[in-house]
Amino acid sequence: MARITASVYTSHVPAIGAALDLGKTAEPYWQPLFQGYEYSKAWLQDNQPDVIFLVYNDHATAFSLDLIPTFAIGTAAAYQPADEGWGPRPVPTVIGHPELASHIAHSVIQDDFDLTIVNKMDVDHGLTVPLSLMCGQPQAWPCPVIPFAVNVVQYPVPSGRRCFNLGRAIRKAVESYDQDLKVQIWGTGGMSHQLQGPRAGLINREWDNRFLDRLISEPEALSQVSHIDYVREAGSEGIELVMWLIARGAMSDSAPLVKHRFYHVPASNTAVGHLILENT
Amino acid sequence: MARITASVYTSHVPAIGAALDLGKTAEPYWQPLFQGYEYSKAWLQDNQPDVIFLVYNDHATAFSLDLIPTFAIGTAAAYQPADEGWGPRPVPTVIGHPELASHIAHSVIQDDFDLTIVNKMDVDHGLTVPLSLMCGQPQAWPCPVIPFAVNVVQYPVPSGRRCFNLGRAIRKAVESYDQDLKVQIWGTGGMSHQLQGPRAGLINREWDNRFLDRLISEPEALSQVSHIDYVREAGSEGIELVMWLIARGAMSDSAPLVKHRFYHVPASNTAVGHLILENT
Amino acid sequence: MSLDKPYLDIPGTTIFDAEQSRKGYHLNQFCMSLMKAENRKRFKADERAYLDEWPMTEDQKLAVLARDLNRCIALGGNIYFLAKIGATDGRSFQQMAGSMTGMSEDEYRAMMVAGGRDPMWGRN
Amino acid sequence: MSLDKPYLDIPGTTIFDAEQSRKGYHLNQFCMSLMKAENRKRFKADERAYLDEWPMTEDQKLAVLARDLNRCIALGGNIYFLAKIGATDGRSFQQMAGSMTGMSEDEYRAMMVAGGRDPMWGRN
Ligand SMILES: [Fe+3]
Ligand SMILES: [Fe+3]
């Protein structure tokens, strides 16, 4: 039986990818941020999963306005890093896990989540930056990855509650897979950020930290927070945080072990938050 | 306030479109079938809606295996009839209703239906054949149409219960639109058919008619029928009938007025079923 | 996978699920390409050469060349995709469906006119 | 539409909903086209000519030419789409975001290093 062993939460700011790719990680601006992921890289080495289920959002890369899936699951064999306008990031191809991805799709669609199944797409910084933060700059990513894209670009986006319940359905799906796989689920995006308008650059340190507290201790209550609260308190792009609730919903109901917690301002326009939770 | 005035249910067999386009409607094979829609054409003339919300499935036309949305709503201004391999059908462009479509998308996504929003797609026989059956061969379709595509090609497809509940959410969405529009909802596809394998040509007249009875009188109970029952009793493509439950769920809870009922075998490989229900 | 697949016991029927879809991916995407008139023309001009542009298995290519739709389906094809081959050949959906039943075109058509296949066909 | 839009009262913020999306459709799809290196090259060679290939409004084109991102957003642009223009110009996301605030690049960067904009900004 497959099972979810741990969940990882992290921002996926594109500038972090650029800093890595351009060799700037030791610069004073970036050093404290990458320092915060040193533990995480070691932890991942010691806790290698067989598959990573990676929840992220596409930033007008694979999905234009022609077609906007609320939830899209990748069942392909491989995904190329996208050219987002600066040229593709120099990172490895992402290898998928078609069998487990299809199994999860099958199960959660029967549980009334109306997924879009995707067999061909490029993946943008939303997916590759978390891999870089957790794995550094390897020749190949350490294991297959199932990309799970959430619409947080065009309103309405799915509610926190919907995301949390989806996480639960994913947990059930993983646990019904008959191969003995260790699966990690990663929730990415956030924390506070606003990338647009006169209000750009908003950071709400207090709100972010309260979000981290509640994500650990009372995720179901946290999932009741409305869209408008995210936007008002964490900025227009802070809404990405609903994706963390998918990962959290996939964890077991008992209290998780907090292996790592990190918070830093700034990365480009954004606050960076990071958590590692293990199932006990 | 917009409201749903009536629902129409009909098969969308491609051969019917071909018979119409090639001027074969008076042939003995086709005449009884088109006869069954004479009432319907007059009814539609007398009961012109402002918008038709048309539930259908794409048959490997707009959606390949690269991307399979469970539910896709068209919010575009217009849709072209697709070239399915025989060349495009000689029928009018389908004009959309972006405002109402977006409004419905907004509302039902907030009601936990995970739609995919589509702004660019061609529409195949699943959408155009019902229009032809109900409108004949006009220079332009009588009103704007909102295409709503359901995945019934790759398993798992959404359950009957999910479809019925979606219909209810669509009803609520329509009723919260502040323009005074008469909206018809059409459910298409089915009835019995199997297009593949040694069992091709299966027709279950008794089961189909029981489905029509129950769709009228006890749709919620009918929505509990499992996929496997559709496939076993109505053939592998008989599963299309779940789409009728979306239209039925969008009707008011009180008993509808049965304006027309028609059943015919065969059209090509398929049984043809047709109902017109009015809200009272 | 340990999900129930209750549909596996239905006679003469292949359900197009994710497993079939994966098997038939390139076969079905080849079929989709026939929705463009210029591709239909190129395919008709040299079927084998056109098929060789696709990473399909040799079995899949042979099944297409033979227009053996049952075999195509066993190899992951889906009827709505395969229908583009029939369209390219100028065949109707009824001719395609009938070709899978072991009946002649006339026999199949006559069965349909007489009310279609008995739903108890093949069941015990 | 009579759906609640509770987000309309948030200062200095435009929520990209279906209405904005409709308004900005061609503007945003133009931006998407810049994800291809050859299109970036063509755009840079003659911006106006490239823009004229798109059914955008004149206001949208002028806003793009002026790199006025606030105006682009008012006209239906979304920042993730508009970012492709910045990428084409070789600008960072921080430069783009800062350009909308009325601050200089250095001022904006300094604000971020100092902990970012106060979340109570613009609220009463
Ligand atoms: Fe993001
Ligand atoms: Fe159909």
Side-chain angles (χ1 to χ4, degrees):
Chain A
M1 187 189 95
R3 68 206 155 84
I4 290 175
T5 54
S7 51
V8 173
Y9 308 82
T10 179
S11 305
H12 59 212
V13 188
I16 296 175
L20 255 158
D21 300 342
L22 301 172
K24 297 184 178 175
T25 58
E27 288 185 5
Y29 183 91
W30 290 110
Q31 195 274 337
L33 188 156
F34 287 104
Q35 183 62 39
Y37 285 83
E38 281 306 312
Y39 173 88
S40 313
K41 288 199 278 185
W43 174 86
L44 188 63
Q45 291 275 3
D46 294 344
N47 295 275
Q48 284 285 347
D50 297 306
V51 186
I52 295 166
F53 189 94
L54 205 158
V55 182
Y56 74 110
N57 67 293
D58 181 80
H59 304 78
T61 303
F63 304 118
S64 72
L65 294 183
D66 284 344
L67 190 135
I68 307 162
T70 294
F71 296 125
I73 187 167
T75 57
Y79 311 87
Q80 297 304 324
D83 181 349
E84 300 178 54
W86 288 272
R89 289 194 62 210
V91 293
T93 297
V94 174
I95 304 302
H97 198 301
E99 295 78 15
L100 178 60
S102 296
H103 172 90
I104 293 172
H106 193 110
S107 176
V108 306
I109 290 172
Q110 292 196 311
D111 265 350
D112 288 351
F113 291 87
D114 315 312
L115 305 190
T116 289
I117 291 169
V118 183
N119 282 310
K120 189 176 186 171
M121 67 173 169
D122 290 345
V123 287
D124 73 10
H125 68 268
L127 186 126
T128 60
V129 166
L131 287 170
S132 294
L133 277 168
M134 295 295 294
C135 310
Q137 297 174 295
Q139 285 301 305
W141 302 120
C143 68
V145 173
I146 298 173
F148 191 92
V150 179
N151 169 43
V152 292
V153 172
Q154 181 175 318
Y155 272 62
V157 310
S159 68
R161 180 181 28 79
R162 183 70 176 159
C163 288
F164 188 71
N165 288 331
L166 170 59
R168 288 182 161 164
I170 291 167
R171 183 205 316 175
K172 185 178 135 196
V174 168
E175 290 176 355
S176 69
Y177 191 69
D178 59 8
Q179 261 188 279
D180 196 20
L181 297 178
K182 282 177 300 201
V183 179
Q184 286 182 10
I185 183 163
W186 295 11
T188 75
M191 301 204 77
S192 290
H193 62 311
Q194 173 143 350
L195 303 179
Q196 50 133 331
R199 194 181 180 235
L202 178 132
I203 301 290
N204 197 338
R205 182 182 283 268
E206 205 175 322
W207 194 91
D208 284 348
N209 276 286
R210 178 99 178 103
F211 184 94
L212 294 172
D213 293 341
R214 298 184 74 197
L215 190 75
I216 296 167
S217 64
E218 47 169 26
E220 186 157 11
L222 178 63
S223 78
Q224 304 302 317
V225 170
S226 72
H227 286 162
I228 183 68
D229 286 335
Y230 284 92
V231 175
R232 186 175 283 119
E233 301 299 337
S236 49
E237 281 68 43
I239 188 71
E240 289 187 352
L241 284 167
V242 293
M243 295 186 287
W244 293 30
L245 289 162
I246 298 176
R248 188 63 181 88
M251 295 288 284
S252 77
D253 291 330
S254 48
L257 202 59
V258 182
K259 296 298 285 187
H260 188 49
R261 176 172 174 162
F262 176 64
Y263 184 77
H264 175 76
V265 177
S268 183
N269 306 285
T270 312
V272 169
H274 175 39
L275 272 181
I276 300 178
L277 304 182
E278 281 182 6
N279 270 332
T280 50
Chain B
M1 187 189 93
R3 69 206 155 84
I4 290 174
T5 53
S7 51
V8 173
Y9 308 82
T10 179
S11 305
H12 59 212
V13 188
I16 295 175
L20 255 158
D21 300 341
L22 301 172
K24 297 183 176 174
T25 58
E27 288 185 5
Y29 183 91
W30 290 110
Q31 194 275 336
L33 188 155
F34 289 103
Q35 184 61 41
Y37 285 83
E38 281 306 313
Y39 172 87
S40 313
K41 288 199 279 185
W43 174 85
L44 188 63
Q45 292 275 2
D46 295 344
N47 295 276
Q48 284 286 345
D50 298 304
V51 186
I52 296 166
F53 188 96
L54 205 158
V55 183
Y56 74 111
N57 67 294
D58 180 80
H59 303 78
T61 303
F63 303 117
S64 71
L65 293 183
D66 284 344
L67 190 134
I68 308 161
T70 294
F71 296 126
I73 186 165
T75 57
Y79 310 87
Q80 297 305 324
D83 180 350
E84 300 178 55
W86 288 273
R89 290 194 61 209
V91 293
T93 296
V94 175
I95 304 301
H97 198 300
E99 293 79 14
L100 180 60
S102 296
H103 172 91
I104 293 172
H106 193 111
S107 176
V108 307
I109 289 172
Q110 292 197 309
D111 266 351
D112 288 351
F113 291 87
D114 315 311
L115 306 189
T116 290
I117 292 169
V118 183
N119 282 310
K120 188 173 187 174
M121 68 173 168
D122 291 346
V123 288
D124 74 9
H125 68 267
L127 186 127
T128 61
V129 165
L131 287 170
S132 294
L133 277 167
M134 295 294 295
C135 309
Q137 297 174 295
Q139 285 301 305
W141 302 120
C143 68
V145 173
I146 298 172
F148 191 93
V150 179
N151 170 42
V152 293
V153 172
Q154 181 176 318
Y155 271 63
V157 312
S159 68
R161 180 181 29 78
R162 183 72 178 158
C163 288
F164 188 72
N165 287 332
L166 171 60
R168 288 181 161 167
I170 291 168
R171 184 206 314 175
K172 185 179 135 195
V174 168
E175 289 176 355
S176 69
Y177 191 70
D178 59 8
Q179 260 188 279
D180 196 21
L181 298 178
K182 283 177 298 204
V183 179
Q184 287 182 8
I185 183 163
W186 295 11
T188 74
M191 303 201 73
S192 291
H193 61 310
Q194 173 143 349
L195 303 178
Q196 52 133 329
R199 193 182 181 231
L202 178 132
I203 301 289
N204 196 337
R205 180 182 285 268
E206 206 175 323
W207 194 91
D208 284 346
N209 277 287
R210 178 97 178 103
F211 184 93
L212 294 172
D213 293 341
R214 297 184 74 198
L215 190 76
I216 296 166
S217 63
E218 47 169 26
E220 187 158 12
L222 178 63
S223 77
Q224 304 302 318
V225 170
S226 72
H227 287 162
I228 185 68
D229 286 336
Y230 284 92
V231 175
R232 185 176 283 119
E233 301 300 337
S236 49
E237 281 69 44
I239 188 70
E240 289 187 350
L241 284 167
V242 293
M243 295 185 289
W244 294 30
L245 290 163
I246 297 176
R248 188 63 181 89
M251 294 288 284
S252 76
D253 291 330
S254 48
L257 201 60
V258 181
K259 297 298 287 189
H260 188 50
R261 176 172 173 161
F262 175 63
Y263 185 78
H264 176 75
V265 177
S268 182
N269 306 285
T270 311
V272 169
H274 175 39
L275 273 180
I276 298 178
L277 305 182
E278 282 181 6
N279 269 332
T280 49
Chain C
M1 299 233 241
S2 67
L3 285 179
D4 273 359
K5 291 194 171 184
Y7 43 80
L8 291 178
D9 75 331
I10 299 179
T13 303
T14 305
I15 295 298
F16 188 69
D17 59 11
E19 217 173 312
Q20 287 299 108
S21 176
R22 212 158 41 241
K23 216 195 288 186
Y25 183 72
H26 294 294
L27 167 57
N28 289 314
Q29 296 298 82
F30 145 74
C31 293
M32 287 298 281
S33 76
L34 299 178
M35 289 176 66
K36 293 212 170 86
E38 62 269 30
N39 290 341
R40 294 196 286 271
K41 206 165 145 189
R42 285 210 301 120
F43 174 67
K44 282 199 249 188
D46 186 342
E47 298 196 359
R48 178 75 215 196
Y50 189 88
L51 286 167
D52 284 339
E53 295 170 19
W54 294 83
M56 295 160 57
T57 65
E58 182 63 21
D59 277 0
Q60 289 173 329
K61 292 178 191 175
L62 293 175
V64 170
L65 291 169
R67 302 297 191 269
D68 183 343
L69 296 185
N70 279 324
R71 184 96 186 108
C72 285
I73 286 174
L75 297 171
N78 169 278
I79 188 59
Y80 290 125
F81 290 81
L82 297 171
K84 321 297 182 202
I85 305 174
T88 301
D89 292 337
R91 303 179 80 206
S92 73
F93 228 117
Q94 186 168 59
Q95 289 169 316
M96 288 186 258
S99 80
M100 291 180 268
T101 61
M103 303 167 83
S104 74
E105 197 178 317
D106 284 349
E107 282 166 356
Y108 182 78
R109 187 181 162 94
M111 175 182 80
M112 292 316 300
V113 170
R117 181 182 303 283
D118 188 315
M120 292 309 292
W121 180 89
R123 285 155 77 170
N124 17 15
Chain D
M1 298 234 243
S2 66
L3 285 178
D4 274 357
K5 291 195 172 185
Y7 43 81
L8 290 179
D9 74 333
I10 298 180
T13 304
T14 306
I15 294 298
F16 188 69
D17 60 12
E19 217 173 312
Q20 287 298 108
S21 176
R22 212 161 37 245
K23 215 196 285 185
Y25 183 72
H26 294 294
L27 167 57
N28 288 313
Q29 296 298 82
F30 145 73
C31 293
M32 287 297 282
S33 77
L34 299 178
M35 289 175 67
K36 292 212 172 87
E38 62 269 31
N39 290 341
R40 293 196 287 270
K41 206 166 143 186
R42 285 209 302 118
F43 174 66
K44 282 199 250 189
D46 186 342
E47 297 196 359
R48 178 75 214 198
Y50 189 88
L51 286 167
D52 283 340
E53 295 171 17
W54 294 84
M56 294 158 58
T57 65
E58 183 62 20
D59 277 358
Q60 289 174 330
K61 292 178 192 176
L62 293 176
V64 171
L65 290 170
R67 303 296 191 270
D68 183 342
L69 296 185
N70 279 324
R71 183 98 185 108
C72 285
I73 286 173
L75 297 171
N78 170 277
I79 188 59
Y80 290 125
F81 291 81
L82 298 171
K84 321 297 184 202
I85 305 175
T88 301
D89 292 338
R91 303 180 80 207
S92 73
F93 228 118
Q94 186 169 56
Q95 290 170 317
M96 288 185 257
S99 81
M100 290 181 269
T101 61
M103 302 166 85
S104 73
E105 198 179 317
D106 283 349
E107 281 166 355
Y108 182 78
R109 187 180 162 96
M111 176 182 78
M112 292 316 299
V113 169
R117 182 181 304 282
D118 188 315
M120 292 309 291
W121 180 89
R123 285 155 77 171
N124 21 14

